[in-house]
Amino acid sequence: MPTLSAITIYPIKSCAGLSLEEATLTPLGLMSAQIYDREWMVVDSNGCALTQREHPRMALIKPTIKGATLELQAPGMLRLEIPLGLPDPQSAPTLQTQVWDDSVLAYDCDALTAEWFTKAIGVPCRLARFHANAERAVSTKWTDGVQATTMFSDGYPMLVTGTASLDDLNQKLVAAGRQSIPMNRFRPNLVIDGIEAFEEDYAESFQIGEVVLKPVKPCPRCPMPSIDQTTGEFGPDPLDIMQSYRAKPELEGALCFGMNSILIAGVDQRVRVGQEIEVTLAF
């Protein structure tokens, strides 16, 4: 029986993830200790998202849940603690942020936090938090008309990958005289063990207890899988190997790894590592 082998949330878009033993499923994505996946985002002076694509050192900004705060660490920096309590939506400072084509209202975190991120990343920037009154809908083009929402993810609330898919890629990398790479290069939320390589591409649903997830769109990969998440530096890029077998015609030849997914049933249910998963194929 397939099992859930890893759970990860990324509190701040494009920064390091938090590996968890269990998490709560919400329509906005995974949540733990009242922290949602991609609830915060680093932005430039125009409110546009900063990511590892241009700033790979963001991988070295590591979050830890510490009581009522999110503690952040980065090389050469003092620790920073961000309160988890939500600001007053009526009086807290706000800014308009941009994630791809979406304009999203966000809380503007304080000047001290902005200074910390500016020093950690090396460019002027601020930290924004998804506003309580904001709503960001996903494209229904890929969901068969099912309405879904997300926070600051690239487009969908959850990314699901399979262990065997990475094993398959690593076999090809090693055969080409390259080093294998870890799963964190692809930044999934949920990893499934016990299915065939890339079987997630052909799934109709993933059921974990009362939770039902629907995979809706293959995840096109940018250069981020070439970034070593432990050093924050670009390394060998696996995309040239993936070019030979992971191009998706339905996405104009984009190289894909993992399936963007939405929650169909089981709002506020918890899932845990080791839990069995029922995978229903779409054919």
Side-chain angles (χ1 to χ4, degrees):
M1 188 76 175
T3 57
L4 183 58
S5 62
I7 301 171
T8 307
I9 66 169
Y10 305 87
I12 304 173
K13 182 179 179 69
S14 247
C15 295
L18 273 174
S19 180
L20 304 171
E21 287 300 310
E22 58 181 45
T24 300
L25 272 292
T26 82
L28 291 167
L30 294 179
M31 185 264 286
S32 179
Q34 303 305 309
I35 298 173
Y36 287 86
D37 186 67
R38 276 92 170 184
E39 184 174 352
W40 285 267
M41 178 172 71
V42 184
V43 299
D44 64 16
S45 58
N46 296 314
C48 296
L50 299 188
T51 73
Q52 285 186 38
R53 298 172 183 89
E54 298 81 24
H55 306 284
R57 284 184 57 82
M58 292 179 71
L60 303 183
I61 298 175
K62 299 182 178 181
T64 304
I65 300 172
K66 185 178 179 181
T69 64
L70 183 68
E71 183 182 90
L72 301 177
Q73 299 181 56
M77 301 288 296
L78 296 175
R79 296 181 182 185
L80 176 70
E81 293 191 4
I82 299 174
L84 296 181
L86 282 175
D88 184 341
Q90 303 302 320
S91 61
T94 62
L95 73 164
Q96 208 65 32
T97 65
Q98 193 74 26
V99 191
W100 299 110
D101 295 332
D102 295 328
S103 180
V104 183
L105 181 66
Y107 298 111
D108 186 4
C109 295
D110 58 68
L112 177 63
T113 300
E115 182 182 357
W116 191 93
F117 274 89
T118 295
K119 290 181 179 178
I121 298 173
V123 295
C125 57
R126 303 189 67 80
L127 185 65
R129 186 177 188 177
F130 200 84
H131 198 279
N133 295 336
E135 183 172 291
R136 183 173 172 233
V138 308
S139 171
T140 55
K141 173 184 176 181
W142 295 92
T143 65
D144 293 330
V146 177
Q147 302 292 321
T149 55
T150 188
M151 286 192 166
F152 288 132
S153 70
D154 274 356
Y156 294 85
M158 278 165 281
L159 180 65
V160 180
T161 62
T163 303
S165 302
L166 181 66
D167 291 343
D168 183 87
L169 172 59
N170 278 333
Q171 288 171 9
K172 291 177 171 59
L173 287 169
V174 171
R178 308 266 285 275
Q179 290 186 339
S180 60
I181 59 176
M183 185 65 87
N184 65 10
R185 296 284 189 97
F186 296 97
R187 299 174 64 82
N189 295 113
L190 303 172
V191 181
I192 301 175
D193 203 4
I195 60 175
E196 297 296 321
F198 302 106
E199 188 174 324
E200 61 269 26
D201 290 14
Y202 307 102
E204 174 67 28
S205 65
F206 307 114
Q207 182 161 357
I208 315 169
E210 297 180 33
V211 169
V212 179
L213 301 176
K214 178 179 177 62
V216 294
K217 182 185 179 183
C219 184
R221 308 316 308 207
C222 63
M224 278 181 63
S226 69
I227 300 169
D228 187 325
Q229 297 295 297
T230 63
T231 65
E233 297 177 350
F234 282 98
D237 192 339
L239 295 186
D240 60 337
I241 297 293
M242 293 171 63
Q243 183 70 55
S244 64
Y245 75 120
R246 292 304 300 163
K248 292 285 186 177
E250 65 268 34
L251 286 167
E252 300 180 347
L255 306 181
C256 297
F257 190 102
M259 289 296 293
N260 290 299
S261 303
I262 61 175
L263 182 65
I264 298 297
V267 173
D268 293 335
Q269 292 293 309
R270 293 185 69 77
V271 295
R272 65 183 185 279
V273 170
Q275 198 167 354
E276 292 186 344
I277 302 176
E278 183 179 340
V279 180
T280 301
L281 298 180
F283 51 80

